[in-house]
């Protein structure tokens, strides 16, 4: 059985064929998710934005003038949805800053929580590094390293040549590696002994010895 082309699927979807649009969703789900994640920054939020994007696209598909312009049109919807989500989160941020009271935990639970917080902190640092890249470099990385989106599809979604996309991927990975290394070097500074560590030890020993002598004299 001959597979329907993208144009045929979009034409049928524009007539209300949800099944045809389901195939479009399967083809573009990772690309739309990456577009949402670039702005939202949170996987769960990006999934919600991606879902809203496809629902909105299906409802508006009949108004699309050219089926060839579907990829950038879909990307624009995802971007707008993600921006709306981020604006709403910024509005709610002051309420979230109030924090939540935590119930006392057992020692084992505290250790597990500490480990979880350490992992979360590391992921947050990596996320900062990724988002410190320019949009031109970050977006191709997100597109192509989330479930292995082919470079040809990512390039079409971005509206650039595949060669240009590969160049951005190369530059992005190089900068990402450099910044990850710098982040690691900075993190290891925490584990270094302070320069005056030996002096502190000697001073502590002297104070201990002086205290011991004074106690002996009082006896």
């Amino acid at each position: 059985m001959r597979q329907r082309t993208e144009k045929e699927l979009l034409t049928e979807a524009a007539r209300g064929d949800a099944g045809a649009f389901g195939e479009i969703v399967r083809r573009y789900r990772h690309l739309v998710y990456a577009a949402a994640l670039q702005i939202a920054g949170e996987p769960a939020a990006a999934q919600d934005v991606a879902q809203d994007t496809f629902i909105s696209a299906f409802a508006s598909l009949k108004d699309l003038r050219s089926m060839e312009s579907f990829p950038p049109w879909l990307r624009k919807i995802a971007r707008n949805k993600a921006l709306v989500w981020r604006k709403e989160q910024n509005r709610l941020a002051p309420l979230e800053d109030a924090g939540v009271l935590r119930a006392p935990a057992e020692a084992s639970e505290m250790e597990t929580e500490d480990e979880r917080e350490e992992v979360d902190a590391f992921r947050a640092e990596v996320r900062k590094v990724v988002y410190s890249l320019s949009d031109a470099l970050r977006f191709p990385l997100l597109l192509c390293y989330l479930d292995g989106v082919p470079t040809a599809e990512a390039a079409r979604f971005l509206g650039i040549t595949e060669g240009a996309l590969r160049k951005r991927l190369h530059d992005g990975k190089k900068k990402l590696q450099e910044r990850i290394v710098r982040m690691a070097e900075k993190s290891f500074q925490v584990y270094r002994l302070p320069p005056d560590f030996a002096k502190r030890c000697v001073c502590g020993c002297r104070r201990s010895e002086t205290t011991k002598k004074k106690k002996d004299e009082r006896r």
Side-chain angles (χ1 to χ4, degrees):
M1 182 178 179
R2 184 182 69 86
Q3 288 188 340
R4 290 173 291 182
T5 65
E6 182 173 291
K7 186 175 181 179
E8 289 173 339
L9 288 170
L10 289 171
T11 300
E12 292 171 18
R15 295 171 182 161
D17 188 338
F21 193 70
E23 181 60 33
I24 293 296
V25 172
R26 283 188 284 274
R27 292 185 183 187
Y28 282 92
R29 63 188 186 278
H30 298 311
L31 294 167
V32 171
Y33 172 68
L37 185 62
Q38 182 197 17
I39 297 173
E42 297 180 11
Q47 289 181 35
D48 290 341
V49 169
Q51 183 175 335
D52 288 345
T53 296
F54 283 117
I55 292 173
S56 180
F58 182 63
S60 306
L61 194 56
K62 59 182 179 298
D63 299 323
L64 182 62
R65 295 181 178 179
S66 172
M67 296 304 175
E68 282 73 19
S69 62
F70 177 75
W73 177 76
L74 185 63
R75 187 178 76 244
K76 184 177 180 180
I77 294 176
R79 173 181 168 78
N80 290 340
K81 294 283 186 182
L83 288 172
V84 169
W85 178 88
R86 192 169 69 181
K87 184 178 180 180
E88 181 66 14
Q89 293 305 302
N90 291 338
R91 185 181 69 82
L92 296 174
L95 295 177
E96 295 175 354
D97 290 341
V100 179
L101 292 176
R102 296 173 59 184
E106 297 293 336
S108 59
E109 293 178 353
M110 292 177 65
E111 291 178 1
T112 303
E113 182 65 22
D114 289 342
E115 292 174 358
R116 188 181 300 112
E117 289 179 356
E118 187 175 342
V119 171
D120 290 343
F122 177 75
R123 287 176 178 172
E125 287 299 319
V126 173
R127 190 180 299 114
K128 286 180 183 178
V129 173
V130 172
Y131 279 83
S132 68
L133 298 176
S134 66
D135 286 350
L137 297 182
R138 181 176 69 249
F139 200 10
L141 287 172
L142 288 175
L143 286 176
C144 293
Y145 293 104
L146 288 172
D147 297 296
V149 173
T151 54
E153 290 183 21
R156 183 165 174 256
F157 190 65
L158 289 173
I160 60 177
T161 65
E162 190 172 357
L165 179 74
R166 291 183 182 277
K167 177 65 167 57
R168 293 184 188 184
L169 286 173
H170 176 270
D171 294 344
K173 285 191 292 184
K174 185 177 180 180
K175 287 196 173 185
L176 193 60
Q177 289 169 354
E178 292 172 351
R179 295 184 188 186
I180 289 289
V181 169
R182 287 202 298 270
M183 184 187 76
E185 291 175 346
K186 183 179 178 181
S187 298
F188 279 123
Q189 296 294 327
V190 177
Y191 298 98
R192 288 186 178 181
L193 291 173
D196 61 343
F197 177 75
K199 183 179 179 180
R200 291 182 188 179
C201 291
V202 172
C203 290
C205 291
R206 286 175 177 171
R207 283 195 300 270
S208 178
E209 186 64 23
T210 300
T211 301
K212 184 176 181 298
K213 286 181 179 180
K214 287 182 179 179
K215 286 182 179 180
D216 291 341
E217 290 173 356
R218 293 195 190 107
R219 292 175 181 175

